[in-house]
Amino acid sequence: MRTQRMTLSVSVLALLTLAGCGTESGSGSGKGSGEGGDSVQSDVPVTGVAWRVDSVTVGGKKTEAPEGARLEIDPKGRAKADFGCNHISVDARVKGDRITLGKPVTTQMACDVKIEKFEKAAIDAMGGEHTAKLSGDRLTLTTEGGDSMALSEEKPADLVGTRWAVTTLLSGETATTVPADLPKEKAPHLTLSEDGTVEGNSGCNSFRGRATVKGSTITFGPVAGTRKMCPEAEMATERAVLAALDGKVTYTIKGKALTLTAADGKGIGATVTPAGGGTGSQHG
């Protein structure tokens, strides 16, 4: 599906205000931009923000979202969502107070029945044209038929000191979900510490090594680990995880999601381990 290119640098709230006054002097680019004397800006831009999905209302029935449900609209006109199981992407177009989402493209993983039910309702609420209402850090998208999705800005987690559960293996434009049936004690995860070390589990063995953070990059030093042998699915995950923790990588944090990407496009996606000791081996 071709990605539509457009400028989405002005938030929905700014667009609504500008539409009301009928003038536009300058175009803001998000937080902290003070250029353009008559431009109006929101502290929470719509694009490039990790939105936590709080609930969806379809046919008058409101359903609370599961932990980890999120949606993001990037500046290139693409929206990506994760409602607890599958990866979902759609074309997105913003004009005035309208956000139009195209037909969702989704992976086809088997999901927990409760999550699957919410995911279906959320996908139903995504389609077509929405009226966007931004209030503080909360965003509501409402279709012409009255279905709606309530979202709130997800503050970025701390890189250091957070236990990151690896959920996705990346290779260029391809993303593969970490097998959900890995033993709990072998679910891949990592934690960076203030002393410049990283430790965790790579899918079979535990590991420890050096990690130097500078700007938007992390340079991983030699990683030492235990040397147990595991079934091939676990070993394949381990090889991919360790490959992502070798040398210099670029990192990004959006909400509770961390992405590590090497120069060759390979890397991993991880999320904050839920409270209560969840492993994060399952998506979300």
Side-chain angles (χ1 to χ4, degrees):
M1 183 178 295
R2 294 185 62 187
T3 300
Q4 302 177 37
R5 300 185 62 85
M6 64 209 71
T7 301
L8 301 177
S9 58
V10 183
S11 72
V12 165
L13 182 57
L15 288 166
L16 283 167
T17 306
L18 292 171
C21 65
T23 60
E24 181 174 351
S25 273
S27 58
S29 57
K31 299 180 181 181
S33 176
E35 299 178 0
D38 296 327
S39 63
V40 180
Q41 310 229 348
S42 167
D43 290 335
V44 185
V46 171
T47 61
V49 175
W51 294 105
R52 181 180 68 246
V53 181
D54 298 321
S55 65
V56 296
T57 301
V58 177
K61 183 179 180 180
K62 181 179 178 180
T63 305
E64 298 295 329
E67 177 70 27
R70 47 183 74 90
L71 169 73
E72 181 178 350
I73 303 174
D74 69 30
K76 296 181 179 180
R78 193 73 177 169
K80 296 182 179 180
D82 177 345
F83 299 127
C85 182
N86 285 286
H87 293 284
I88 301 160
S89 62
V90 300
D91 284 333
R93 183 173 70 253
V94 176
K95 185 176 181 180
D97 64 342
R98 307 289 180 177
I99 297 179
T100 303
L101 301 177
K103 183 178 180 180
V105 177
T106 177
T107 56
Q108 298 295 327
M109 294 184 291
C111 311
D112 174 83
V113 174
K114 186 176 181 180
I115 291 177
E116 188 176 75
K117 184 177 180 180
F118 175 81
E119 186 172 83
K120 182 180 184 305
I123 290 174
D124 288 343
M126 281 183 72
E129 186 176 88
H130 300 71
T131 299
K133 181 180 179 181
L134 187 63
S135 177
D137 63 354
R138 296 182 180 276
L139 174 67
T140 303
L141 303 179
T142 306
T143 67
E144 292 181 349
D147 295 339
S148 65
M149 182 180 296
L151 311 101
S152 54
E153 183 189 16
E154 192 170 58
K155 304 297 183 181
D158 293 326
L159 172 66
V160 175
T162 298
R163 188 179 190 271
W164 296 102
V166 179
T167 57
T168 310
L169 309 177
L170 308 172
S171 181
E173 295 297 319
T174 303
T176 305
T177 302
V178 170
D181 56 355
L182 288 181
K184 182 178 179 180
E185 68 277 6
K186 296 178 182 177
H189 62 87
L190 66 149
T191 303
L192 289 86
S193 301
E194 293 283 359
D195 62 2
T197 61
V198 61
E199 61 182 358
N201 192 292
S202 50
C204 174
N205 290 281
S206 58
F207 66 85
R208 183 179 175 86
R210 300 295 302 174
T212 303
V213 180
K214 185 177 182 181
S216 61
T217 67
I218 305 172
T219 301
F220 292 100
V223 172
T226 54
R227 296 181 177 273
K228 295 180 292 185
M229 293 300 294
C230 299
E232 178 54 26
E234 296 167 27
M235 297 304 294
T237 297
E238 176 163 284
R239 287 191 292 270
V241 171
L242 292 179
L245 305 180
D246 183 15
K248 189 175 182 178
V249 303
T250 299
Y251 80 89
T252 59
I253 297 176
K254 294 181 178 179
K256 295 182 180 180
L258 168 71
T259 302
L260 303 179
T261 311
D264 62 2
K266 294 185 178 180
I268 56 176
T271 60
V272 175
T273 303
T279 65
S281 62
Q282 297 189 34
H283 203 53

